[in-house]
Amino acid sequence: MCFERFKALIFSAFLLFLYGCHSSRDQEDYNVFHYNQINPITSLDPAFAKSQNNIWACNHLFDGLVQLDDSLNVIPSIAKSWSISDDGKIYTFDLRQDVYFHKNDCFAEQSRKVNAQDFVYSLGRLLSEEVNSPGSWIFSNIVEDAGSFQARDDSTLVITLNKAFLPLLGILTMEYCSVIPEECVEYYGDRFRSNPVGSGPFVFKRWIENQGLYLLRNDNYFDPNVNKDLDGVKTSFITDRNIAYLELLKGKVDFISGVASSVINELLDADGNLKADKADKIKLYKSPYLNTEYLGINMSLLEDGPLANKKLRQALNYAIDKKQMMASLRNNAGTPALSGFVPKGLPSYDPNKVKGYAYDLEQAELLLVESGYSKDAAPIEIHTNKDYLDITTYVAKQWERLGVNVEIKLMESAVLRDGMRNNRFQLFRASWIADYPDAENYLSMFYSKNPAPPNYTRFQNLKFDQLYEQSLQESNDSIRYDLYQQMDRIIVEEAPVIFLFYDVTSKFVGKNISNISNNALNLLKAKQVIKEKSQ
Amino acid sequence: MMQVLIQKIFTGILILVSVVILVSTIVYLAPVDPTSLTFGQRSDQRTVDSKRSALGLDLPLHKQMTFYLRDISPFVIINKSDKVLKYYEGVGVDIGDKRLIMKVPYLRESYQTNRPVSNILSEAIPLTLLLAFCSFLIAIVLGITLGIVAGINHGTWIDKMIIAFSTVGYSVPSYVSAIFLAVVFAYILGDLTGLNVQGSLVEINDIGDDVIVFKNLLLPAIALGIRPISVVAQLMRSALLDSFSQDYVRTGKAKGLQYYTIVLRHVLRNAMNPVATSISGWLASLLAGAFFVENVFNYRGMGLVTVTALVNYDIPVILASIIFICGVFIIINILMDYIYAWLDPRVSVI
């Protein structure tokens, strides 16, 4: 009997222990910026910074030659200045001499200065077949091989292109182009992905995969404009957007990007601003987001199907009431795509010069008749995944009202993406986020010599190709923007896509957070963030 | 005896290999190129091809499968020049230009993260085992207690309440009870209980140190334990009721023993037999339930690892998880045959 009692006692003690086991260490002196990411980080190696989850963390750990300011201008980072040869093929960078790598065991003497040779190594590594970096495409058509990157001396880096390519500076701001020390990559080998050594504003401390990442401020950082009061950055990976949002309301998380569509109505009013009762707990920063949401049409699969007819594609574009769609499905968080494919937020965006498809049912009906669409035609299949289902359903309803037979094919994201790549779907739901802030990144999706991706629509147009090639060599901004707009008008006219909307970024932060970077690429720069301690 | 055991182990291995072949056929034949999922929205074909060949995905299906079986097999004869050799950890002897190796199964690296799968599993398995163990503990202690209380108070409202509770508990699937517990105790009563809706056992605190957050184990363990609690409570109750009519209870009463002494010392011991035999049944369902419960609570065990891998077509992780799960079931089944025999001498292992 004693034994049974003892067992019960042990059990209650165990329950109490489970419950009461908190760390009682004093953490209040630390000023840590804590953000949540829905998708876990897959690697801290910048050569694998392929998506936002990895990019944000790498942006805190590493630096490149150049960086973007919040208006998306290219500004110096480790490169103090640069010059471009007259033929646009040779870029010469003058590097700072006061940048050091983070202290680490992989160095013979704790740390060392960043030099031009490190960039030669880091950029060349992206092209290596052993690494198979997802970032290899950035140089794939513009440099010969790794020998195109050369160090003239410790502080001078020369990049030789095989053709003039003006968006190069934009490309160099990407996280892929961060500088890493060769000896550390060799020292850690396959484990470099979880033992990153860079020169960025924060130093790696701890990563428990899928659970948390902790970075400490780099006291030796070269840029004096970082917030020295911030001790560290912590990332958690709560996978459910609703729960992340609740944690933000509780003040346990300082920052989240975007919320689940199920709480949008509770959170935002009809204009997409924070409702008054939420505004005393959190703040919202909005900015255009370089993300165009669209339905793509695979032009190579149409044969004699109805979509092969340009007038039908135009009719389908006219038939969608995008303003109402945004108001009812997104609380106006996002801009209806009434211009071309190049989204709001890029300097060459001008809805007056590129006029897209405003809602016009009469015009749509007229075009439908002209296209000779038969009511008995087999339904047009829209391939989508569940994230896009609400928008797709809305579009399908609008098309049915026009008199077009539509069927929605719901599938796993992986299957959708594979089908888009491998020529399996005529019509698919997709979006394109700018890799670097240049309209070229969007227009390259319709250049016939590009494979899929980026040319998912397999669009082919001689005039377009000529304009595209011309634009790559045009150094005068206003002429180049004019070329971009001409190309965009061709896309509108030929309609290889159904335009939906230009996205916005929604950054939700706690009341005590300020100076959060707000830019159209949705970058997070924790080095500037100010966190006031709650008393 | 030994022969039977060897035979059983051999059958187990055969089952394991067939499962690997079956599952890998399904996974490899899926209309998805797993390499393309490891790239961002843009990639160049040369690198995609080079990655495909690095992962061996350009080979015919039967070769991919043979190579995989070779990697996971503990014994292998291989050419000395084979590149894969550097991944094999073990001892070997040279036979001409070939090498015979006894090794740890090489489970390859995750396509998504390039992390060794053995590393991923060794992190996730203990977490799932701990979760299963805790719910097991909760089930036994709570189940037996409830069963005894119901049995002693036979026919009263307490008994009826417990019966009702255990019927509901048994019928509700674990993912429903998990969501229910999360909403009630971590969300609605969250301020009162201080529990998190999602969270794993080890977290990083504000100074960058690891902390073990035991409270994150509580709700998942209860959610997973609810079904076993109900089963144990019902079995315990009926076993108790049966035992009350036995002679030794009357003898105990006649000896003047206290009521609770009779229950705890004599009745309980005799009533335990059916409970113990039912345990084997739950181990399997515990593991299956852990998949759902882990996903609800974002608890980083095997369940979450497997589901995430399935979504991303992360083939090495999918296969390794399935091997693990299959292995556990085979081992449990073999062990259970012996445990039955040990509990009941009338049963013999054939």
Side-chain angles (χ1 to χ4, degrees), chain A residues 274-512:
Chain A
L274 269 187
K275 283 188 179 170
D277 62 323
K278 294 289 181 299
D280 20 301
K281 285 184 189 158
I282 52 175
K283 293 193 280 192
L284 166 63
Y285 290 93
K286 281 200 301 184
S287 139
Y289 183 23
L290 299 185
N291 176 24
T292 302
E293 304 264 339
Y294 67 99
L295 296 176
I297 300 167
N298 187 326
M299 306 293 280
S300 70
L301 289 181
L302 302 178
E303 290 167 6
D304 46 0
L307 282 173
N309 191 315
K310 183 165 94 183
K311 290 200 166 137
L312 179 72
R313 299 198 299 268
Q314 291 174 337
L316 295 177
N317 264 305
Y318 276 121
I320 304 168
D321 187 350
K322 287 172 268 210
K323 280 188 179 151
Q324 197 207 19
M325 177 179 84
M326 293 316 289
S328 53
L329 294 177
R330 288 286 186 274
N331 286 43
N332 281 322
T335 314
L338 300 177
S339 179
F341 199 74
V342 174
K344 190 178 175 180
L346 278 170
S348 63
Y349 170 84
D350 188 343
N352 295 318
K353 291 191 177 148
V354 182
K355 284 208 169 34
Y357 295 95
Y359 177 56
D360 188 342
L361 197 57
E362 279 176 30
Q363 182 71 18
E365 280 164 353
L366 196 71
L367 284 163
L368 186 72
V369 174
E370 285 177 19
S371 75
Y373 177 80
S374 150
K375 302 263 180 223
D376 310 323
I380 296 173
E381 292 173 344
I382 314 180
H383 297 83
T384 181
N385 65 10
K386 68 176 191 316
D387 297 342
Y388 296 146
L389 192 59
D390 54 347
I391 296 263
T392 313
T393 310
Y394 181 90
V395 169
K397 290 271 175 244
Q398 300 250 301
W399 287 353
E400 275 167 5
R401 212 172 51 168
L402 180 69
V404 175
N405 302 325
V406 192
E407 196 178 310
I408 294 177
K409 295 269 182 189
L410 188 63
M411 52 192 61
E412 278 291 319
S413 306
V415 182
L416 177 66
R417 198 158 139 185
D418 203 65
M420 283 162 64
R421 274 171 184 268
N422 296 323
N423 267 324
R424 278 207 301 275
F425 306 141
Q426 276 194 17
L427 184 63
F428 49 86
R429 174 69 176 77
S431 64
W432 190 267
I433 301 170
D435 299 297
Y436 48 89
D438 195 310
E440 182 273 335
N441 191 239
Y442 284 89
L443 297 167
S444 69
M445 296 173 65
F446 301 96
Y447 180 53
S448 68
K449 289 176 192 153
N450 276 340
N455 191 354
Y456 282 125
T457 59
R458 279 77 171 174
F459 184 68
Q460 288 198 354
N461 185 299
L462 210 60
K463 177 79 180 138
F464 184 94
D465 288 356
Q466 280 169 1
L467 289 167
Y468 177 79
E469 282 158 15
Q470 199 183 335
S471 74
L472 293 182
Q473 310 195 10
E474 182 52 63
S475 57
N476 181 315
D477 279 352
S478 60
I479 301 176
R480 196 167 77 246
Y481 293 168
D482 185 60
L483 292 170
Y484 287 163
Q485 286 154 1
Q486 286 184 44
M487 284 186 257
D488 218 355
R489 281 197 290 268
I490 295 177
I491 298 167
V492 172
E493 167 66 23
E494 295 295 325
V497 293
I498 309 292
F499 300 87
L500 297 175
F501 67 96
Y502 313 126
D503 209 354
V504 293
T505 63
S506 308
K507 293 182 168 172
F508 296 90
V509 295
K511 268 284 181 196
N512 55 339

